[in-house]
């Protein structure tokens, strides 16, 4: 899309113009598709990070009252 | 050199005893000529069509050899045995390439007369020396690529697919060189001359990929 | 941390590309022979050149990988080839459109650049399936590097062979090398090449940093969920660090 709005008045949209527009649209479509795939990946990583966040406090709690720690305190 | 001799003897002896590749490749090429006869519906062919049919047939027959080339080493422990020997691993590549080159020569000893009898209209006899020169250069290029890619493909899960899939685009310069070189030789009405340009392209291809394959073969055999 | 400098790079890419395309449409004169259709040239040719360079760069990274055996070089080689394949798809599509507009056919076998590009593309199209078909990760990396080196060397040789096969029979329809361009066209073309190179580098860096971040996250995950919890590796074509 971006090729059209700012160039619209100057574009001679006859036979040749259609092909040129198509070629540039293909290029933008590929880049946008790539960005979309990248966005999906980023959101997946965010989910993974949320999972990690959930894991971290559990681990600290575990450390606080592991049997070994308690035994150590008693002795 | 002693290593190479030993490896080559092993390859050729194995092929002589099992006859796994060469008879199949030769039969395949003759059958393909018959198939082309019916596919094209022509009693005989000449010129660029003849060159194309011949080169593509040999190429696909070679693919059969490529698929068998390392299978025994992979399945029967040939790689392990070779890796234990204190020798340069590149020799295995050289031996495989020479073995495949030999197979192709044997196949062509069958395929060229069969092609001349079954399909080619102008007689092949007057141009035979030139045809042999072209085929030797093309065989060398094929053997180099196939011996290298075969070592990659044999470790993949779909090896019969991956090998030809990688080899075919890589071999297009060889197809161009040999088909264009053979075209004037197969033309009706007086033998055309062999253009040195195509021999140069084939030779350059063989040289570049020969050196390159020797340089990169080593990492394929580590374990 | 992995994406350091990406913002500057992205902005620079955007500015250069928009500038190049603005020049293409509002400043550069129409070419005498083809007229307006020739504007595709400023998109198609830089994309093709950058894609081919990407393949060769992937081969150079692969040499580095075989020399050092560090997984990061395999990742770099993989990402460079990956981005180059994407640009190659764009090149083939825009090239086909250009051929249709300028010569009336979607595909021309006597245009050696187009044909050699297709062959190179077909070769690299097997790169990902090949990686995927090798299960052992370390072996996958080694084999992929050998492939990348051989294919990288194949690129220039293939172009020479295909061109040689055609120069006798057909005259070149259009000089696409840019050597014979008049001044303002050449300037636009050069800016477009710079823009496309920046785009390649940006996409490369984005891809690389996501891959690195991902493997960092999964290694953290493994660590947090206990070392005895053996990593279950999914089969994948992408390298792991």
């Amino acid at each position: 899309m971006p090729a059209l709005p700012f160039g619209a008045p100057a574009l001679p949209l006859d036979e040749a113009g259609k092909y040129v527009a198509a070629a540039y649209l293909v290029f933008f479509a590929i880049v946008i598709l790539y960005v979309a795939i990248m966005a999906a990946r980023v959101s997946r990583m965010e989910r993974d990070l949320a999972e990690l966040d959930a894991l971290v406090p559990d681990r600290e709690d575990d450390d606080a009252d592991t049997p070994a720690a308690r035994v150590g305190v008693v002795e | 050199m002693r290593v190479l001799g030993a490896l080559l003897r092993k390859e050729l002896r194995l092929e002589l005893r099992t006859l796994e590749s060469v008879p199949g490749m030769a039969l395949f090429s003759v059958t393909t000529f018959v198939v082309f006869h019916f596919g094209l519906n022509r009693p005989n062919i000449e010129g660029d069509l003849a060159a194309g049919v011949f080169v593509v047939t040999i190429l696909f027959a070679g693919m059969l050899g490529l698929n068998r080339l390392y299978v025994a080493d992979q399945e029967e422990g040939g790689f392990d045995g070779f890796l234990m020997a204190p020798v340069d691993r590149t020799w295995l590549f050289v031996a495989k390439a020479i073995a495949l080159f030999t197979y192709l020569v044997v196949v062509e000893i069958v395929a060229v007369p069969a092609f001349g009898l079954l399909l080619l209209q102008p007689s092949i006899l007057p141009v035979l020396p030139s045809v042999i020169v072209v085929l030797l250069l093309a065989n060398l290029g094929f053997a180099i690529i196939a011996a290298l890619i075969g070592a990659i493909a044999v470790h993949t899960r779909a090896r019969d697919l991956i090998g030809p899939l990688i080899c075919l685009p890589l071999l297009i310069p060889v197809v161009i060189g040999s088909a264009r070189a053979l075209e004037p030789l197969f033309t009706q009405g007086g033998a055309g001359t062999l253009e040195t340009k195509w021999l140069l392209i084939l030779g350059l291809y063989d040289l570049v990929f020969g050196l390159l394959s020797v340089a990169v073969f080593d990492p394929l055999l580590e374990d | 941390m992995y994406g350091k400098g990406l913002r500057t790079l992205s902005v620079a890419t955007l500015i250069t590309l928009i500038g190049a395309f603005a020049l293409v449409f509002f400043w550069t004169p129409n070419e005498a022979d083809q007229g307006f259709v020739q504007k595709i040239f400023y998109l198609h040719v830089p994309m093709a050149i950058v894609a081919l360079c990407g393949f060769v760069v992937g081969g150079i990274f692969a040499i580095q990988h075989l020399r050092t055996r560090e997984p990061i070089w395999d990742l770099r080689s993989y990402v460079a080839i990956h981005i180059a394949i994407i640009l190659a798809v764009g090149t083939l599509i825009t090239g086909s459109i250009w051929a249709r507009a300028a010569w009336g056919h979607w595909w021309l076998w006597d245009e050696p650049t187009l044909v050699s590009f297709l062959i190179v593309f077909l070769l690299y199209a097997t790169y990902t399936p090949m990686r995927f078909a090798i299960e052992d990760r370390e072996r996958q990396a080694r084999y992929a590097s050998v492939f990348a080196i051989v294919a990288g060397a194949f690129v220039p040789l293939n172009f020479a062979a295909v061109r040689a096969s055609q120069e006798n029979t057909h005259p070149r329809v259009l000089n696409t090398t840019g050597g014979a361009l008049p001044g303002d066209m050449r300037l636009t073309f050069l800016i477009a090449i710079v823009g496309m190179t920046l785009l390649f580098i940006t996409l490369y860096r984005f891809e690389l940093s996501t891959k690195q971040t991902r493997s960092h996250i999964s290694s953290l995950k493994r660590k947090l969920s206990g070392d005895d919890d053996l990593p279950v590796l999914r089969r994948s074509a992408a390298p792991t660090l």
Side-chain angles (χ1 to χ4, degrees), chain B residues 7 18 21 35-36 40 46 49 51 60 68 76 114 117 128 131 133 137 143 153 157 169 171 179-180 187 208 223:
Chain B
L7 284 170
T18 60
S21 300
V35 170
F36 265 120
L40 298 168
E46 55 128 3
L49 186 61
F60 286 151
R68 306 296 314 159
E76 318 288 338
L117 281 173
L128 201 54
V131 173
V133 171
L137 283 173
R157 284 174 324 120
L171 285 168
R180 296 299 158 86
T187 301
V208 170
D223 253 323

Side-chain angles (χ1 to χ4, degrees), chain B residues 47-131:
Chain B
D48 53 355
L49 186 61
V53 164
F54 183 73
V55 168
V56 170
T57 302
I58 295 296
L59 179 72
F60 286 151
M63 290 296 160
L64 300 182
L66 152 73
N67 282 338
R68 306 296 314 159
L69 195 57
Y70 286 95
V71 169
D73 299 78
Q74 167 78 353
E75 284 174 357
E76 318 288 338
F79 280 131
D80 303 333
F82 178 72
L83 284 177
M84 268 188 274
V87 294
D88 194 338
R89 287 155 187 167
T90 309
W91 288 122
L92 183 64
F93 165 76
V94 180
K96 288 286 183 188
I98 295 178
L100 191 56
F101 180 84
T102 318
Y103 299 169
L104 285 170
V105 169
V106 177
V107 168
E108 279 153 2
I109 289 174
V110 177
V112 171
F115 186 67
L117 281 173
L118 294 173
L119 283 178
L120 193 64
Q121 178 55 27
S123 168
I124 204 168
L125 286 175
V127 291
L128 201 54
S130 309
V131 173

Side-chain angles (χ1 to χ4, degrees), chain A:
Chain A
M1 297 302 139
L4 289 176
F6 71 84
L11 277 177
L13 273 175
D14 51 5
E15 191 65 13
K18 267 191 288 185
Y19 289 117
V20 176
Y24 279 81
L25 279 181
V26 164
F27 173 71
F28 285 112
I30 286 176
V31 173
I32 288 169
L33 192 70
Y34 187 83
V35 171
I37 291 171
M38 207 46 107
R41 278 192 198 156
V42 168
S43 66
R44 202 171 67 200
M45 280 197 286
E46 275 173 10
R47 270 207 309 279
D48 282 352
L49 275 177
E51 255 177 69
L52 282 183
D53 268 342
L55 276 175
V56 171
D58 288 358
R59 191 90 196 275
E60 277 168 0
D61 292 349
D62 286 352
D63 280 346
D65 47 40
T66 45
R70 260 178 286 156
V71 168
V73 171
V74 170
E75 280 176 6

Side-chain angles (χ1 to χ4, degrees), chain B residues 17-35:
Chain B
R17 291 211 181 135
T18 60
L19 291 176
E20 259 187 340
S21 300
V22 176
M25 290 159 76
L27 189 61
F28 176 87
S29 53
V30 175
T31 315
T32 308
F33 293 144
V34 176
V35 170

Side-chain angles (χ1 to χ4, degrees), chain C residues 36-99:
Chain C
F36 190 64
V37 164
Q38 189 259 351
K39 304 282 189 201
I40 300 178
F41 167 85
Y42 303 104
L43 176 71
H44 168 77
V45 177
M47 214 162 24
I49 292 174
V50 171
L52 292 177
C53 291
F55 288 137
V56 174
V57 166
I60 294 170
F61 287 164
I63 295 177
Q64 212 50 33
H65 171 247
L66 287 185
R67 194 174 283 160
T68 63
R69 294 304 162 89
E70 280 166 26
I72 181 71
W73 285 109
D74 178 46
L75 181 65
R76 283 179 183 144
S77 166
Y78 170 82
V79 171
I81 290 175
H82 185 76
I83 303 292
I85 290 176
I86 294 174
L87 289 182
V89 172
T91 306
L92 284 174
I93 297 175
T94 53
S96 186
I97 292 173
W98 190 14

